[in-house]
Amino acid sequence: MALVKVTTPIDEETIRSLHVGDTVSITGRLYTGRDAVHHRIHTGTKPPVDLEGHIIYHCGPVMVKENDQWVCKAAGPTTSSREEPYQHEVIRDYHIRGVIGKGGMGEKTLAACKQYGAVYLHAIGGAAQVCANSIKRVDGVDWMDLGSPEAIWHLWVEDFMAIVTMDAHGKSLHQQVFEESKARLEALRA
Amino acid sequence: MTATAPLREAVPQSALFDSILELIRRTSTILPDDVVRAVTSARKQEAPGSNADVALDVIGCNIGLARDNSLPLCQDTGTILFYVHTPVGYDQLEFEETATEAVREATRKGYLRQNSVDSVTGKNTGDNTGPGSPVFHFHQWREPHVEVKLMLKGGGCENMNAQYSLPDPRLGGRDLAGVENAILDCILNAQGQGCGPGILGVCIGGDRGTGYGFAKEQLLRELDDTNGDPLLADLEKRVVEKANQSGIGPMGFGGKTTLLACKIGKQNRLPASFFVSIAYMCWAYRRRGANLDAQGNVSEWLY
């Protein structure tokens, strides 16, 4: 398990060098995108930003406008499994190299990570202040018609920490923990 | 000419408004002591340097940052649930109007995220109000004061709630063994998605609606209390012990702490029905309360 510093946009080789259990420290641009964004892209609308080599952050931040400037008040990850119906195609079509979220994703996304070279990065759910501390600027926003939590926020982050829980080699920590916990709980049945 | 009547801009100046706004701020930004204690002692169970240890370390830092900077613990400030006890004759409508205004103000200040979305059009009202938001549960009592409790329950954990109807060939019959297996099934399915280590509120019985409501009300209990019903106290203990042997761990990373607590209540049921309703609460277990005097000032903070 290694600590790997990466800068966005990221190349495929760097992504394929990561393994489940590695901690990644990210610096650069992150784009938020959650349910409504994925649904809209999946139904054929082109994203308003170039996602090539970038990371999508499953996050609906608390944003407040102060002196005409957006300020991020809280920004932890949201549950990623809701993007499972869309994520594979979004990775394939827009060449994103990773998603940050919580709770992990399913087999379709895992297959996309392997085939196209991407990783799933797990931030700590609920830790909205620790995450927000790494967000140094809010550089813009698109698709505000979806409402603030669902919009595409352009964040500039420094040393945003996340753990690789699904890698580009077909390995998923979530799959492993599920199988193990299932067996243990079966044995503990009343 | 404006197309619509101007919105009420003026913020009502009342002690009740100020008290509720402060209750919302505290609930969103300061985790209750009993929860902080449980999270802190959980970390001691985990292997130093493991992913579980790292997760609980980050959670600990987050609790401090939110408190010190008066900012939301979690960006999902959740469903806004008020549980209010009022003396006979108290004007509950006025309470509801004032609390709703306080919710609007808390949203403007960034203590609450804009979290109220039209379920058909997808339009966000922008101020946390609208049909069903915020939620009020009023009860009368014969005490002279008002007691208001507030719970902010995030969507990630709310999505992990589950309701079982027993008997179930997979889980068992209409007995405590069946109930226990249903709860363990909920824990297995939730994995890390509800932002564990979690806390469960459970209702045995009731109908489908009241069962879920009563399960959530179990989360108003103190984490270290003891259930007055010895059978349920035993079940609570057993569920936590078994959950923590599952290896799911904080965030589903693997580890020893899957549940911080389980609180179980019961309601009578119809002969035909036997529901087990489970409310999964995340570690960011935001619930606070206050007693209010006749003017609406806080006389005592709860939790």
Side-chain angles (χ1 to χ4, degrees):
Chain A
M1 289 191 276
L3 171 66
V4 185
K5 282 181 173 283
V6 298
T7 317
T8 62
I10 309 171
D11 59 56
E12 186 173 350
E13 193 189 342
T14 305
I15 284 299
R16 290 201 183 271
S17 74
L18 298 172
H19 291 88
V20 164
D22 289 343
T23 300
V24 173
S25 164
I26 305 156
T27 294
R29 174 64 58 78
L30 287 184
Y31 294 107
T32 67
R34 50 179 293 171
D35 309 63
V37 165
H38 280 82
H39 181 259
R40 186 178 276 184
I41 292 175
H42 197 257
T43 46
T45 308
K46 286 243 175 312
V49 289
D50 181 6
L51 293 171
E52 174 98 31
H54 274 287
I55 295 174
I56 292 182
Y57 184 17
H58 296 159
C59 169
V62 179
M63 293 287 188
V64 172
K65 213 167 203 176
E66 291 175 355
N67 302 322
D68 251 14
Q69 182 67 42
W70 286 109
V71 179
C72 180
K73 296 283 187 181
T78 193
T79 312
S80 300
S81 59
R82 296 191 308 268
E83 317 318 333
E84 183 64 13
Y86 320 117
Q87 201 68 67
H88 183 109
E89 289 79 1
V90 173
I91 290 172
R92 181 193 65 197
D93 296 346
Y94 296 100
H95 314 118
I96 62 170
R97 291 283 168 226
V99 291
I100 304 171
K102 72 170 171 84
M105 300 187 73
E107 285 180 15
K108 227 180 121 192
T109 300
L110 187 62
C113 287
K114 191 174 179 183
Q115 194 171 350
Y116 306 110
V119 289
Y120 180 83
L121 299 159
H122 203 301
I124 305 303
Q129 291 310 318
V130 171
C131 294
N133 257 6
S134 303
I135 298 170
K136 302 304 174 188
R137 290 193 321 264
V138 181
D139 290 331
V141 59
D142 285 297
W143 291 2
M144 264 298 253
D145 61 299
L146 298 174
S148 172
E150 296 274 6
I152 298 177
W153 292 95
H154 310 190
L155 309 176
W156 184 267
V157 302
E158 289 174 16
D159 293 323
F160 187 107
M161 307 291 271
I163 297 170
V164 179
T165 56
M166 292 163 62
D167 61 23
H169 312 284
K171 196 169 171 209
S172 163
L173 176 69
H174 307 286
Q175 226 168 37
Q176 182 198 328
V177 171
F178 180 81
E179 293 304 331
E180 287 170 8
S181 59
K182 189 172 181 225
R184 288 186 186 191
L185 287 170
E186 294 263 332
L188 290 166
R189 276 172 67 105
Chain B
M1 202 184 107
T2 51
T4 52
L7 293 168
R8 186 149 57 125
E9 289 289 340
V11 171
Q13 300 294 314
S14 75
L16 180 61
F17 175 87
D18 292 344
S19 297
I20 296 184
L21 183 58
E22 176 60 6
L23 175 63
I24 297 169
R25 186 193 71 80
R26 288 183 182 219
T27 309
S28 178
T29 64
I30 311 171
L31 206 62
D33 283 345
D34 59 336
V35 184
V36 177
R37 280 197 303 274
V39 171
T40 308
S41 78
R43 196 174 166 203
K44 295 180 191 132
Q45 309 298 316
E46 303 295 348
S50 63
N51 286 336
D53 181 50
V54 170
L56 290 171
D57 179 38
V58 171
I59 286 169
C61 291
N62 194 73
I63 292 168
L65 281 170
R67 180 194 58 219
D68 296 347
N69 300 323
S70 192
L71 288 165
L73 275 152
C74 175
Q75 78 291 337
D76 187 359
T77 55
T79 306
I80 303 160
L81 298 145
F82 286 101
Y83 297 89
V84 194
H85 280 85
T86 64
V88 178
Y90 182 86
D91 188 343
Q92 297 182 345
L93 293 173
E94 190 186 329
F95 184 98
E96 191 169 323
E97 285 160 12
T98 307
T100 302
E101 280 305 323
V103 163
R104 288 197 172 99
E105 181 62 12
T107 311
R108 276 192 288 270
K109 285 179 176 291
Y111 301 141
L112 298 175
R113 189 175 68 183
Q114 301 171 356
N115 249 3
S116 173
V117 178
D118 185 298
S119 292
V120 174
T121 66
K123 191 174 160 44
N124 193 316
T125 63
D127 66 359
N128 268 311
T129 69
S133 179
V135 179
F136 293 94
H137 294 282
F138 283 108
H139 298 282
Q140 287 192 46
W141 65 0
R142 299 204 183 276
E143 300 288 330
H145 66 277
V146 172
E147 178 202 81
V148 50
K149 291 182 173 175
L150 172 62
M151 195 190 300
L152 300 175
K153 191 169 186 298
C157 67
E158 183 69 8
N159 288 346
M160 295 300 113
N161 292 1
Q163 192 169 59
Y164 296 86
S165 177
L166 298 180
D168 180 318
R170 204 168 54 83
L171 302 168
R174 294 179 159 187
D175 50 28
L176 290 185
V179 172
E180 186 177 321
N181 289 334
I183 299 172
L184 295 178
D185 189 66
C186 169
I187 294 162
L188 173 69
N189 292 331
Q191 292 288 306
Q193 296 185 82
C195 281
I199 300 94
L200 301 186
V202 180
C203 174
I204 307 171
D207 66 21
R208 287 191 185 273
T210 58
Y212 262 137
F214 196 68
K216 221 170 251 180
E217 282 186 40
Q218 295 304 303
L219 297 168
L220 295 173
R221 287 170 50 190
E222 295 269 355
L223 277 187
D224 50 6
D225 73 355
T226 305
N227 199 316
D229 180 329
L231 285 175
L232 296 184
D234 272 358
L235 183 58
E236 290 177 355
K237 204 166 152 245
R238 225 163 36 242
V239 165
V240 174
E241 282 169 5
K242 289 189 178 180
N244 290 342
Q245 291 172 52
S246 70
I248 294 169
M251 292 295 131
F253 285 167
K256 295 197 165 64
T257 323
T258 300
L259 274 195
L260 297 177
C262 176
K263 302 292 171 190
I264 306 175
K266 62 176 181 178
Q267 297 276 278
N268 281 8
R269 59 181 177 83
L270 297 180
S273 303
F274 194 115
F275 298 114
V276 181
S277 309
I278 304 163
Y280 191 111
M281 177 60 98
C282 56
W283 70 261
Y285 180 3
R286 289 153 290 170
R287 56 118 162 79
R288 291 202 160 266
N291 289 329
L292 307 176
D293 66 18
Q295 284 73 46
N297 292 300
V298 174
S299 56
E300 186 189 5
W301 290 104
L302 307 172
Y303 297 112

